[in-house]
């Protein structure tokens, strides 16, 4: 899996949009970008995956520029329940377990 | 998707003893993994549980300390042997569905405290 770099922590007030950027300068042509969310006392859960441009689902949006060397996870109008650690992973290993980096600890404040 | 359960959800154990953690999946899966997450840290992969053969361990983890069983495609156990306080951690079971790219499902974890 390609190495990723993301901020260690972020704070946000409720109702704001939060953007977490991940750098992956060595991304390979076949690699996909995947984000996981982990709430306290729970296992991580898959939230979104993309290859290029923009992907949106009911939880978040993922923006990927043309060079694919970075990506931005966007959480619209966060609430206290979005307080979690967010992990960015890059790769195309269909049968290989995920290797997690340090992630970004998001704290949402009332 | 896959639903994963783990037993026990938490335990407090004395040093020198062993604990076996069970992982049950609601469907047959080929790939099953065990992770450890120490307080405030990211997840560390312990091993891949292979059905019908010995588990594949990551660097720093050995079979004598973390024996793993995988008797079928829906069940696995991880034993933490001869425990010390440094083994206090959350242990998570995870599965990868066939054809899924980087999409793993995780159990709720087992919180182990060694005194």
């Amino acid at each position: 899996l390609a190495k990723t770099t993301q901020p260690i922590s972020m704070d946000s007030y409720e109702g704001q949009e939060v953007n977490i950027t991940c750098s992956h300068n060595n991304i390979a042509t076949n690699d996909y970008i995947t984000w996981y969310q982990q709430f306290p006392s729970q296992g991580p859960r898959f939230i979104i995956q993309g290859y290029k441009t923009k992907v949106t689902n009911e939880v978040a949006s993922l923006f990927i520029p043309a060079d694919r060397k970075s990506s931005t996870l966007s959480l619209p109008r966060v609430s206290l329940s979005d307080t979690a650690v967010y992990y960015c992973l890059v790769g195309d290993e269909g049968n290989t377990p995920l290797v997690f980096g340090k992630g970004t600890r998001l704290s949402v404040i009332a | 998707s896959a639903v994963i359960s783990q037993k026990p959800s938490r335990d407090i154990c004395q040093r020198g003893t062993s604990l076996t953690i069970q992982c049950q999946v609601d469907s047959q899966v080929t790939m099953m993994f065990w992770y450890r997450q120490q307080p405030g840290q990211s997840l560390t992969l312990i091993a891949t549980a292979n059905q019908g053969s010995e588990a594949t361990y990551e660097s720093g983890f050995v079979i004598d300390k973390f024996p793993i069983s995988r008797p079928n495609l829906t069940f696995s156990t991880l034993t933490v042997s001869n425990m010390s306080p440094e083994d206090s951690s959350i242990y998570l079971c995870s599965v990868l569905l066939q054809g899924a790219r980087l999409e793993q499902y995780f159990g709720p974890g087992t919180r182990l405290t060694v005194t």
Side-chain angles (χ1 to χ4, degrees):
Chain A
L1 296 177
K3 180 177 171 60
T4 60
T5 303
Q6 50 184 125
I8 295 295
S9 64
M10 296 180 68
D11 294 333
S12 176
Y13 288 102
E14 276 190 296
Q16 291 188 328
E17 178 184 78
V18 171
N19 296 308
I20 305 174
T21 297
C22 178
S23 298
H24 28 80
N25 292 319
N26 297 322
I27 188 169
T29 302
N30 295 331
D31 284 346
Y32 279 69
I33 300 155
T34 309
W35 286 79
Y36 277 74
Q37 175 189 54
Q38 185 178 24
F39 296 116
S41 301
Q42 294 186 25
R45 71 165 184 147
F46 171 94
I47 52 173
I48 199 166
Q49 183 180 85
Y51 183 80
K52 62 180 180 180
T53 64
K54 176 183 174 182
V55 179
T56 297
N57 62 22
E58 65 279 4
V59 176
S61 294
L62 179 59
F63 297 92
I64 306 169
D67 67 5
R68 304 200 326 123
K69 294 184 182 300
S70 67
S71 59
T72 299
L73 176 73
S74 181
L75 305 172
R77 296 182 298 281
V78 295
S79 64
L80 295 176
S81 62
D82 292 314
T83 294
V85 178
Y86 293 82
Y87 297 96
C88 167
L89 297 98
V90 173
D92 186 31
E93 303 288 340
N95 292 317
T96 302
L98 297 173
V99 175
F100 286 81
K102 296 185 185 300
T104 297
R105 185 174 300 274
L106 172 65
S107 298
V108 180
I109 308 163
Chain B
S1 66
V3 178
I4 304 169
S5 60
Q6 287 184 230
K7 290 181 182 179
S9 59
R10 59 177 62 221
D11 207 341
I12 301 173
C13 302
Q14 292 190 340
R15 70 171 66 214
T17 62
S18 298
L19 176 72
T20 295
I21 302 167
Q22 298 179 6
C23 176
Q24 181 73 54
V25 189
D26 68 343
S27 58
Q28 293 188 341
V29 294
T30 304
M31 308 295 291
M32 187 177 282
F33 315 105
W34 286 97
Y35 288 82
R36 180 173 74 181
Q37 187 171 31
Q38 296 181 308
Q41 304 297 313
S42 184
L43 289 82
T44 300
L45 179 66
I46 297 172
T48 299
N50 301 309
Q51 196 268 328
S53 64
E54 198 169 278
T56 304
Y57 290 85
E58 298 298 305
S59 175
F61 298 95
V62 296
I63 187 171
D64 290 345
K65 176 67 175 177
F66 298 100
I68 289 171
S69 77
R70 179 90 191 271
N72 56 53
L73 293 177
T74 64
F75 186 79
S76 177
T77 66
L78 168 75
T79 298
V80 186
S81 303
N82 188 25
M83 289 184 283
S84 67
E86 292 71 34
D87 295 319
S88 296
S89 188
I90 297 173
Y91 292 84
L92 297 119
C93 171
S94 176
V95 302
L96 177 65
L97 301 185
Q98 194 72 23
R101 181 186 290 105
L102 301 185
E103 186 171 348
Q104 281 181 219
Y105 294 88
F106 287 82
T110 295
R111 182 180 294 272
L112 171 61
T113 302
V114 184
T115 60

